[in-house]
């Protein structure tokens, strides 16, 4: 268990090709767009005053690429990136690469709603879980991930970084994915889930005395600060 305060900067990757074309992107992967690279550069420059002790990403190229840019622009490229598959996005099975509107259309039809918004209004903060479980039900290929499996691996990921970073007041950068980050948020305060997590936004977590707390969600201040810093 960490002896001091562990500060985790949980970042959503930069914008990708599939993000731009509104296609489902879980375990599938596409590279960052020019916009995605630029926002990662801004984030890195905005984080120059934060000395990181360790860096983790999922094993998807978009998180690794984002982390590399952030480290370069924050002048911390000497740090090694540790890839943890446990930080992956939810696996959408046969819907990977499909247009989001088509997948969500099938999900809300199965649930008997007219829109995703109506489903979230009904299920509230449990909407992510209901939608994920529905994706699994309507994917006859059996390739979709189980919700409980994602929850278990994300908890394992958090346990890994607490075990590996036990120095006094360590700062850790983690680059992951939107739905994965919101699932982690739900472990500690379900009311802070934010379906509109921006690319390269920072969600700050703290681990101290065996307890996790959320200090910020969807923080864009580092990106804005980075826009004012010269390369």
């Amino acid at each position: 268990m960490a002896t001091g305060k562990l500060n985790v900067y949980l970042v959503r990757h930069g914008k990708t090709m599939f993000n731009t074309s509104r296609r489902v992107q879980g375990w599938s992967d596409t590279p960052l767009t020019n916009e995605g690279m630029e926002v990662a550069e801004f984030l890195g420059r905005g984080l120059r005053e934060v000395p990181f002790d360790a860096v983790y990403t999922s094993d998807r190229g978009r998180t690794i690429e984002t982390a590399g840019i952030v480290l370069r622009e924050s002048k911390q490229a000497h740090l090694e990136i540790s890839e943890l598959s446990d930080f992956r996005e939810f696996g959408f099975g046969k819907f990977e690469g499909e247009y989001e509107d088509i997948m969500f259309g099938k999900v809300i039809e199965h649930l008997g709603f007219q829109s995703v918004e109506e489903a979230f209004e009904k299920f509230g903060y449990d909407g992510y879980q209901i939608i994920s479980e529905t994706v699994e039900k309507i994917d006859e290929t059996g390739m979709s991930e189980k919700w409980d499996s994602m929850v278990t691996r994300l908890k394992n990921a958090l346990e890994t970084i607490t075990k590996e970073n036990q120095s006094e007041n360590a700062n850790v950068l983690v680059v992951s994915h939107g739905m994965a980050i919101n699932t982690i948020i739900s472990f500690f305060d379900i009311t802070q889930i934010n379906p509109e997590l921006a690319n390269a936004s920072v969600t700050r977590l703290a681990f101290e005395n065996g307890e996790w707390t959320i200090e910020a969600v969807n923080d864009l201040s580092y990106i804005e600060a980075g826009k004012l810093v010269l390369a």
Side-chain angles (χ1 to χ4, degrees), residues 102-117:
I102 291 178
M103 183 191 75
F104 284 119
K106 293 182 181 299
V107 167
I108 63 174
E109 180 182 5
H110 182 86
L111 292 171
F113 295 110
Q114 297 299 313
S115 68
V116 173
E117 291 75 20

Side-chain angles (χ1 to χ4, degrees), residues 9-13 87-90 128 150 154 174-188 192-194 197-198 200-205 214 216-218:
Y9 292 72
L10 187 53
V11 173
R12 187 185 175 200
H13 61 79
F87 275 122
R88 274 189 190 184
E89 182 62 287
F90 179 76
Y128 277 117
M150 180 177 71
L154 289 172
V174 176
V175 184
S176 187
H177 309 264
M179 188 168 165
I181 293 171
N182 268 316
T183 302
I184 290 172
I185 291 170
S186 75
F187 298 159
F188 313 117
Q192 293 200 54
I193 288 175
N194 186 340
L197 283 180
S201 63
V202 177
T203 293
R204 287 189 291 110
L205 308 177
I214 299 173
V217 173
N218 197 37

Side-chain angles (χ1 to χ4, degrees), residues 43 45 62-63 96 109 119 126 135 138 160 176 202 218 226:
L43 175 61
R45 294 170 197 169
R62 59 193 185 272
T63 62
E96 294 284 344
E109 180 182 5
D126 292 325
V135 167
I138 64 179
T160 295
S176 187
V202 177
N218 197 37

Side-chain angles (χ1 to χ4, degrees), residues 13-33 36-37 59-66 96-98 177 199:
H13 61 79
K15 195 171 188 178
T16 67
M17 292 175 65
F18 271 7
N19 290 154
T20 303
S21 58
R22 294 187 57 78
R23 288 181 180 270
V24 177
Q25 185 176 227
W27 286 8
S28 60
D29 203 25
T30 58
L32 302 187
T33 60
M37 289 185 281
D59 60 350
R60 302 293 86 179
R62 59 193 185 272
T63 62
I64 299 166
E65 185 179 4
T66 300
E96 294 284 344
E98 181 59 273
H177 309 264
N199 291 105

Side-chain angles (χ1 to χ4, degrees), residues 34 178 181 222 229:
N34 289 337
I181 293 171
Y222 297 100
V229 178

Side-chain angles (χ1 to χ4, degrees), residues 37-220:
M37 289 185 281
E38 182 181 53
V39 75
E41 290 173 354
F42 291 145
L43 175 61
R45 294 170 197 169
L47 286 169
R48 284 184 183 175
E49 301 303 314
V50 181
F52 289 111
D53 299 283
V55 184
Y56 298 86
T57 67
S58 76
D59 60 350
R60 302 293 86 179
R62 59 193 185 272
T63 62
I64 299 166
E65 185 179 4
T66 300
I69 295 171
V70 169
L71 291 177
R72 183 191 72 216
E73 296 299 323
S74 66
K75 309 298 186 183
Q76 301 182 76
H78 62 282
L79 293 173
E80 181 179 351
I81 296 173
S82 298
E83 299 174 28
L84 286 183
S85 60
D86 283 344
F87 275 122
R88 274 189 190 184
E89 182 62 287
F90 179 76
F92 292 92
K94 78 168 190 176
F95 295 105
E96 294 284 344
E98 181 59 273
Y99 284 108
E100 292 177 3
D101 288 346
I102 291 178
M103 183 191 75
F104 284 119
K106 293 182 181 299
V107 167
I108 63 174
E109 180 182 5
H110 182 86
L111 292 171
F113 295 110
Q114 297 299 313
S115 68
V116 173
E117 291 75 20
E118 185 181 349
F120 269 98
E121 184 177 341
K122 167 69 174 180
F123 296 117
Y125 297 111
D126 292 325
Y128 277 117
Q129 179 175 350
I130 300 298
I131 287 174
S132 300
E133 291 175 341
T134 304
V135 167
E136 182 194 350
K137 288 177 183 176
I138 64 179
D139 180 5
E140 71 282 354
T141 69
M143 292 189 297
S144 295
E145 186 176 18
K146 295 181 182 300
W147 169 262
D148 289 344
S149 296
M150 180 177 71
V151 167
T152 297
R153 63 175 170 78
L154 289 172
K155 288 183 177 179
N156 287 340
L158 293 178
E159 185 175 355
T160 295
I161 64 175
T162 59
K163 286 181 176 179
E164 294 184 354
N165 299 277
Q166 300 189 22
S167 61
E168 197 76 25
N169 299 321
N171 295 317
V172 173
L173 174 67
V174 176
V175 184
S176 187
H177 309 264
M179 188 168 165
I181 293 171
N182 268 316
T183 302
I184 290 172
I185 291 170
S186 75
F187 298 159
F188 313 117
D189 186 353
I190 198 168
T191 67
Q192 293 200 54
I193 288 175
N194 186 340
E196 304 299 325
L197 283 180
N199 291 105
S201 63
V202 177
T203 293
R204 287 189 291 110
L205 308 177
F207 184 74
E208 190 172 20
N209 299 322
E211 297 291 335
W212 284 99
T213 55
I214 299 173
E215 297 190 335
V217 173
N218 197 37
D219 186 352
L220 304 180

